[in-house]
Amino acid sequence: MGEHVGAELELEVSNVAHGGVFVTRHEGRVVFVADTLPGERVRARVVDDAHDRFWRADTIAVLTASPDRQEHVWAEAAVDRAPGERAGGAEFGHIRPGRQRELKRQVLEENLRRMAGVDRPVPVAALPGPEDGTGWRTRVRLHADEDGRVGPYAARSHRVVEVADLPLATEGIRAVAPLGHRLPGAQGVQLIHPSTGGARLLPAGEDAGEAITERVGEREFRLDAGGFWQVHVAAAATLSDAVSRAVDGQLFDPAAANLDLYGGVGLLAAAVGDRFGPSTRITSVESSPRATEHAHENLADWVGATAVTARVDRYLSRLAGSASKAERARLQRGTVVLDPPRSGAGKDVVRSLAALGPAQLIYVACDPVALARDLGALVRNGYEVTSLEGFDLFPNTHHVEAVAALVRT
């Protein structure tokens, strides 16, 4: 612990930074402060001074409030609680919803401009649901400490805090959440609320071999209860529509070697297939064998659709190194949809995509920095960004989803 940790500072907050914190300066040094917003004057306590270039601090009192500050949507995460007792997962809950989306837009645009050289507006759209951004989470993980107490982790820590409510969760999850109970010996619980079948509770890290059904429009998707699915109740439909719209129909070739990378149980491959018809050829690539099994079933309506269990980087590397001339031609006419994890696709995947040279890419991202890094590399390798949309899939948090379309120049 450094000599400044614990010191209290009065700070004028100037800007938003990636990661749900805000920027100010103290005696020339950058300080990243949580639980505030631009235009506020706060008293903050230093919690990390290990870096030469910046410190980190927690707001402990608001001296001059922004007009965009609101009563926190989650009482147990509010600034009037001690920082170590504030529940994590709602770090923007003290900011009115419209301002939250404006801040997310700013973070998206700044990172794209700085890292990718892409200078264009990226509006962030609200999803259907309550205006205050509550009631949307269909997946929640609660942890249990060594005494069996159940709750979320405190913000920026792995310490369990007990809470009386989960306002971001659906009503179904709130009804089955074991808040106030003890689970001795357990790691925690997963709470899921699929669009069919009602909310349920699973041991943390397990799915008990149970399959569930999620409905998106008129289509149903089977997946393991503990498997990945979009968390916001309206996210799957929103992203399916966004990806379908982002594909340039004049460049799309149903007979080409189209790919859905990090394909999960086939949600976005199905969105492409629904737009372009049952003869659409598309291969979903996913590292989880169970998800691939479900994708086979979920994509059965398209005679040219298939699902492959493979790591995306290795799959593309093999294609780039061994594809025949005819296969390369089909790949170059192809459309690639990719929805990587928060860390992004990364340099190996981008390098292989650039070598294969598909006609268009549809990149779905949940991290602005990873998106900007990968788009920058793709632009340097002969692609042009033709459209960008942002979506507020995670209200009352700093997270934001984006869908980018790129074409080969």
Side-chain angles (χ1 to χ4, degrees):
M1 183 177 292
E3 62 178 305
H4 301 286
V5 170
E8 294 186 7
L9 313 173
E10 287 194 8
L11 302 169
E12 299 275 358
V13 181
S14 60
N15 207 347
V16 63
H18 176 56
V21 294
F22 299 84
V23 182
T24 183
R25 287 184 176 271
H26 176 71
E27 297 179 351
R29 185 187 303 273
V30 170
V31 183
F32 294 113
V33 189
D35 299 316
T36 183
L37 67 161
E40 291 196 327
R41 183 172 181 81
V42 300
R43 183 179 300 115
R45 183 177 296 131
V46 177
V47 294
D48 179 5
D49 67 350
H51 303 274
D52 291 335
R53 295 173 49 239
F54 63 88
W55 293 347
R56 296 187 182 276
D58 287 328
T59 297
I60 57 174
V62 179
L63 305 178
T64 304
S66 165
D68 292 317
R69 178 175 283 272
Q70 65 177 9
E71 182 177 354
H72 206 293
V73 298
W74 194 359
E76 286 97 346
V79 74
D80 57 0
R81 289 171 68 97
E85 297 297 319
R86 296 172 195 165
E91 63 277 3
F92 274 12
H94 62 289
I95 307 171
R96 66 175 181 84
R99 182 63 166 149
Q100 291 184 36
R101 291 190 289 274
E102 176 66 15
L103 292 169
K104 295 177 187 188
R105 179 199 63 77
Q106 185 177 336
V107 169
L108 263 173
E109 291 180 2
E110 286 181 354
N111 279 281
L112 288 165
R113 185 166 50 249
R114 179 171 56 87
M115 300 178 67
V118 175
D119 190 0
R120 60 191 303 157
V122 190
V124 175
L127 269 64
E131 172 60 26
D132 67 356
T134 61
W136 56 269
R137 288 196 70 101
T138 64
R139 269 77 178 160
V140 172
R141 177 163 181 169
L142 298 178
H143 309 276
D145 65 14
E146 59 186 11
D147 295 322
R149 293 181 299 179
V150 177
Y153 283 144
R156 298 170 293 281
S157 85
H158 286 163
R159 193 173 69 79
V160 173
V161 292
E162 293 184 285
V163 297
D165 195 10
L166 300 169
L168 302 194
T170 64
E171 289 288 347
I173 283 181
R174 294 165 76 181
V176 302
L179 302 179
H181 294 267
R182 299 246 173 166
L183 300 175
Q187 292 183 327
V189 293
Q190 298 177 83
L191 306 167
I192 66 168
H193 190 179
S195 52
T196 66
R200 65 202 73 181
L201 182 153
L202 303 172
E206 301 180 23
D207 58 31
E210 179 183 5
I212 60 173
T213 299
E214 292 281 4
R215 185 174 291 117
V216 182
E218 299 301 314
R219 189 167 294 285
E220 292 186 343
F221 295 84
R222 295 280 286 174
L223 65 150
D224 286 355
F228 174 79
W229 187 254
Q230 293 292 337
V231 175
H232 192 294
V233 67
T238 297
L239 291 180
S240 293
D241 180 64
V243 167
S244 178
R245 285 187 287 104
V247 176
D248 185 336
Q250 293 186 325
L251 292 177
F252 187 82
D253 181 353
N258 303 300
L259 298 174
D260 173 29
L261 305 180
Y262 314 93
V265 298
L267 173 70
L268 300 182
V272 175
D274 274 338
R275 178 176 171 190
F276 293 102
S279 64
T280 298
R281 177 180 176 181
I282 190 164
T283 299
S284 179
V285 183
E286 166 59 47
S287 62
S288 165
R290 288 290 295 152
T292 306
E293 289 178 27
H294 288 299
H296 274 295
E297 178 183 356
N298 296 332
L299 297 175
D301 285 358
W302 298 276
V303 294
T306 189
V308 174
T309 302
R311 276 183 41 168
V312 168
D313 57 346
R314 295 173 182 173
Y315 179 86
L316 291 180
S317 179
R318 286 195 298 269
L319 280 182
S322 63
S324 67
K325 185 176 180 180
E327 288 171 328
R328 282 189 173 274
R330 287 194 295 271
L331 286 162
Q332 288 174 353
R333 298 197 311 272
T335 293
V336 174
V337 177
L338 62 161
D339 183 9
R342 194 170 302 282
S343 57
K347 61 181 180 180
D348 292 339
V349 169
V350 168
R351 184 185 303 117
S352 293
L353 286 172
L356 293 167
Q360 61 183 324
L361 305 169
I362 311 299
Y363 193 129
V364 181
C366 60
D367 184 274
V369 171
L371 172 66
R373 179 201 65 208
D374 291 345
L375 291 194
L378 288 165
V379 167
R380 291 190 292 274
N381 279 277
Y383 282 86
E384 177 186 358
V385 177
T386 56
S387 71
L388 273 164
E389 288 188 278
F391 300 95
D392 196 11
L393 263 60
F394 313 95
N396 292 307
T397 81
H398 75 276
H399 298 293
V400 60
E401 197 89 0
V403 177
L406 303 94
V407 299
R408 188 180 65 235
T409 57

